[in-house]
Amino acid sequence: MDAISDEAGAKRARGLDRAFEILDFLRQKRQALKPNEIAAQIGAPRSSVYELVNLLLRNGILEFSGGEGRVYLGRKLYFLGAAYENHFDFTRECEAALDWLADETRETAQFCMLDGNKYTVVRMREGARPFRISTDIGQSVPIPWTASGRLLVAHMSDEEILAFIPPQDFRLPDGKWLDSAQFLAEVRRADADGFFTFNSIVDSFTHCFAVPVMGEEGHAAATLCLVAPRADGLANRERYLDCLKAAAARLGQAPTGAKRVLA
Amino acid sequence: MDAISDEAGAKRARGLDRAFEILDFLRQKRQALKPNEIAAQIGAPRSSVYELVNLLLRNGILEFSGGEGRVYLGRKLYFLGAAYENHFDFTRECEAALDWLADETRETAQFCMLDGNKYTVVRMREGARPFRISTDIGQSVPIPWTASGRLLVAHMSDEEILAFIPPQDFRLPDGKWLDSAQFLAEVRRADADGFFTFNSIVDSFTHCFAVPVMGEEGHAAATLCLVAPRADGLANRERYLDCLKAAAARLGQAPTGAKRVLA
DNA sequence: CGTCTTTGTCCAATATAATGTACATATGAT
DNA sequence: ATCATATGTACATTATATTGGACAAAGACG
């Protein structure tokens, strides 16, 4: 499934990799599945999947859900995820930033990150527009399809970027292929400018704005984005960018392990 | 680590179990650790831990954090946890219920679940009291120490319960041992009553109220709790219980007929 | 009634993952 | 300098985890 992992030769897969492949698959499907279905759809031996599923069930990583022996992601994952969220503590400030952005611009505001070699929307505020413009939260989207994508890979070299992004992800939703050289050029420009904007590739009526949120490694750990109707986006371009930059500046470069003890 | 799994004989541990042991350990420690430290503290071979950590890093399950090669839970776990939360979608209603409870009673309100064979507070609203009564969110607490614990294991047989709860968890914070027979009797009473209340075992000045939130399997999937000063709790006992039951009824699964929370 | 598909369990074979050990480097104490 | 500790890497060994395939029960369908 992942372009990173298995190739051609029918090698044995490591249990851990298979396990996380199962978890990712369930997340992508967003529904409980029978072990059999999982095995068939990810192309793994049934016996292996059954064994792994049982193991994960015992650990609380998976849970029975939906009856008929179907399984889905388990409570333990929720706890682990909550611990992550708590540790890096971007959530609260993130929500505040999105609220402020949505309030200030009336457009859809998003907080986005990389999930492996895909782009994903982590949090979102719907704008006050009469029509909804939204990618679903948690869905994996090819990096080249998004404005944020340019910023999220900007710390890599050209070679690293091309090795990182699956080649098929340069195929746009309309079937056309995005030239990788053009993409790389846009990455470099975005990095130099500190933002990236374009008419959305995914639809034909929105303009997207993205600015980086700097993490502790000194590069973009996430992005803040606005998705606006095209005319509107072009008309308010400077103001929107200023809003985004202000919000990102407040969010970024948080003190590393900052633990706040509340009184 | 888990009382369930390995004991005695120095057997080889399975990679997956070790991996999740590492994840749980990091969650418990709530800080980034070096692989070396992890290995030493969980009593695992260093070479194994190094291999697993690298594997988990490649999968985004762990991340470098805090420098010096330290690692902590990774973003992928956040995504998986978010998918779980989204699927079972208890969060939004849960927050509303806690808000309502805190508003109605002015006491600390908690939403609690089992994490493996421990009790844990998943969400909480601080009460309006001048002093704080709080278990930290996400901390694992022995089941017998809590009022909720009685309800969360009530669907098991006596034997299952005793096999499920680690024996040392019957040792209370003050060093005394809780008689398991007494605990089982309390479990049965709580199940019959549809609630459990007692003077906290953990401290000496609070009274705890717990009611079950019924899940799709027909037993308590979680609990709603109030933690009140003793005098206050006793004075408002009936009203607090009514509030809790009302909130839990709205939260829980519509009873399918088998088991029923008595009003 | 057969026949096919779906689902789950069981088991032997072997590729390999977990481990112990040795090695390399840095840091700090004496 | 010398010793001790902490940290990370490399590799051979062997216990075992992964896998394919056999087996069986339970529909679905004609």
Side-chain angles (χ1 to χ4, degrees):
Chain A
M1 187 107 268
D2 280 348
I4 296 177
S5 49
D6 53 349
E7 305 299 332
K11 301 273 295 179
R12 272 195 186 186
R14 185 183 275 238
L16 254 178
D17 289 327
R18 249 330 167 223
F20 287 116
E21 194 181 351
I22 291 172
L23 298 184
D24 262 342
F25 183 69
L26 287 172
R27 171 159 90 94
Q28 182 201 316
K29 283 291 185 183
R30 306 221 144 234
Q31 59 175 330
L33 256 31
K34 297 183 196 177
N36 223 15
E37 301 172 311
I38 298 174
Q41 298 187 48
I42 69 175
R46 294 193 311 132
S47 45
S48 303
V49 173
Y50 272 101
E51 156 142 7
L52 287 172
V53 163
N54 283 326
L55 219 124
L56 294 171
L57 282 170
R58 275 211 301 280
N59 277 302
I61 307 294
L62 289 180
E63 285 176 14
F64 284 113
S65 168
E68 306 273 321
R70 272 179 278 261
V71 296
Y72 193 66
L73 306 176
R75 190 182 305 170
K76 180 81 85 187
L77 287 170
Y78 172 74
F79 291 134
L80 290 168
Y84 172 88
E85 187 178 350
N86 190 310
H87 184 70
F88 294 102
D89 204 20
F90 56 82
T91 311
R92 201 180 340 183
E93 301 138 47
C94 171
E95 297 287 342
L98 289 179
D99 282 337
W100 182 78
L101 273 174
D103 204 46
E104 199 75 14
T105 67
R106 320 296 288 169
E107 309 288 0
T108 294
Q110 302 176 324
F111 180 78
C112 310
M113 301 180 89
L114 288 184
D115 168 28
N117 53 16
K118 303 284 184 187
Y119 155 100
T120 197
V121 179
V122 179
R123 311 230 157 208
M124 174 169 58
R125 279 297 171 287
E126 297 278 355
R129 295 286 157 194
F131 60 100
R132 279 169 40 105
I133 311 169
S134 57
T135 316
D136 279 337
I137 284 185
Q139 293 293 67
S140 291
V141 177
I143 293 171
W145 295 12
T146 70
S148 297
R150 273 74 181 164
L151 293 161
L152 290 170
V153 299
H155 61 288
M156 304 186 198
S157 70
D158 288 2
E159 297 73 33
E160 285 171 334
I161 292 175
L162 294 181
F164 181 67
I165 300 177
Q168 65 270 25
D169 282 8
F170 284 98
R171 207 174 87 126
L172 304 180
D174 61 6
K176 296 204 192 103
W177 287 82
L178 174 62
D179 181 42
S180 59
Q182 181 192 335
F183 176 76
L184 291 173
E186 289 175 354
V187 169
R188 297 308 162 213
R189 180 155 54 82
D191 194 29
D193 292 346
F195 65 85
F196 190 80
T197 77
F198 72 168
N199 286 329
S200 172
I201 295 180
V202 180
D203 63 63
S204 59
F205 50 90
T206 63
H207 195 77
C208 304
F209 300 77
V211 301
V213 178
M214 304 313 265
E216 58 178 25
E217 293 99 352
H219 63 255
T223 61
L224 282 174
C225 317
L226 286 174
V227 184
R230 286 197 179 162
D232 201 63
L234 294 175
N236 294 279
R237 177 184 171 83
E238 292 311 319
R239 190 169 71 80
Y240 283 4
L241 275 178
D242 286 344
C243 285
L244 278 172
K245 285 178 187 167
R250 274 193 311 221
L251 261 186
Q253 276 186 328
T256 49
K259 276 248 160 186
R260 241 178 300 175
V261 182
L262 299 177
Chain B
M1 187 106 266
D2 281 347
I4 297 176
S5 51
D6 55 344
E7 293 304 327
K11 301 272 296 178
R12 272 194 185 189
R14 184 184 270 240
L16 256 178
D17 289 327
R18 271 269 141 79
F20 287 117
E21 194 181 351
I22 291 173
L23 298 184
D24 262 342
F25 183 69
L26 287 172
R27 171 160 89 92
Q28 183 200 317
K29 283 292 186 183
R30 308 220 143 236
Q31 59 175 329
L33 257 30
K34 298 183 195 177
N36 222 14
E37 301 173 309
I38 298 174
Q41 298 188 49
I42 69 175
R46 292 194 313 132
S47 45
S48 302
V49 173
Y50 272 102
E51 158 145 6
L52 286 171
V53 164
N54 283 325
L55 217 109
L56 295 170
L57 283 169
R58 273 210 303 280
N59 277 303
I61 307 293
L62 289 180
E63 284 176 14
F64 285 113
S65 168
E68 307 271 320
R70 272 178 278 260
V71 296
Y72 194 66
L73 305 176
R75 189 182 306 171
K76 180 79 86 188
L77 287 171
Y78 172 74
F79 290 135
L80 291 169
Y84 172 88
E85 187 177 349
N86 193 329
H87 185 69
F88 294 102
D89 204 20
F90 56 81
T91 311
R92 200 184 339 181
E93 302 136 48
C94 171
E95 296 287 341
L98 289 179
D99 283 337
W100 182 77
L101 273 174
D103 204 45
E104 199 75 12
T105 67
R106 321 297 290 169
E107 311 287 359
T108 294
Q110 302 176 325
F111 180 78
C112 311
M113 301 178 89
L114 288 184
D115 168 27
N117 54 16
K118 303 285 185 186
Y119 155 100
T120 196
V121 179
V122 178
R123 311 228 157 211
M124 174 170 59
R125 278 298 171 286
E126 297 279 354
R129 295 286 157 193
F131 60 100
R132 274 173 39 111
I133 310 169
S134 60
T135 316
D136 280 335
I137 285 185
Q139 293 293 67
S140 291
V141 176
I143 292 171
W145 294 13
T146 70
S148 297
R150 273 75 181 163
L151 294 162
L152 291 170
V153 299
H155 61 289
M156 304 185 198
S157 71
D158 287 3
E159 298 72 35
E160 285 171 335
I161 292 175
L162 294 181
F164 182 67
I165 300 177
Q168 63 271 25
D169 282 8
F170 285 97
R171 207 175 86 127
L172 305 180
D174 61 6
K176 296 204 191 100
W177 287 81
L178 174 62
D179 180 43
S180 59
Q182 182 193 335
F183 176 76
L184 290 173
E186 290 174 354
V187 169
R188 297 308 161 211
R189 180 155 55 82
D191 194 28
D193 291 345
F195 65 84
F196 190 80
T197 77
F198 72 168
N199 286 328
S200 172
I201 296 180
V202 181
D203 62 62
S204 60
F205 49 91
T206 63
H207 195 77
C208 303
F209 300 76
V211 301
V213 177
M214 304 312 266
E216 59 178 23
E217 293 99 353
H219 62 253
T223 61
L224 281 174
C225 316
L226 286 174
V227 183
R230 285 197 179 164
D232 201 62
L234 294 175
N236 295 277
R237 177 184 171 83
E238 292 311 317
R239 191 169 70 81
Y240 282 5
L241 275 178
D242 287 343
C243 285
L244 278 172
K245 285 177 188 171
R250 275 191 313 223
L251 260 187
Q253 197 84 353
T256 54
K259 276 212 164 187
R260 184 71 192 89
V261 184
L262 300 178

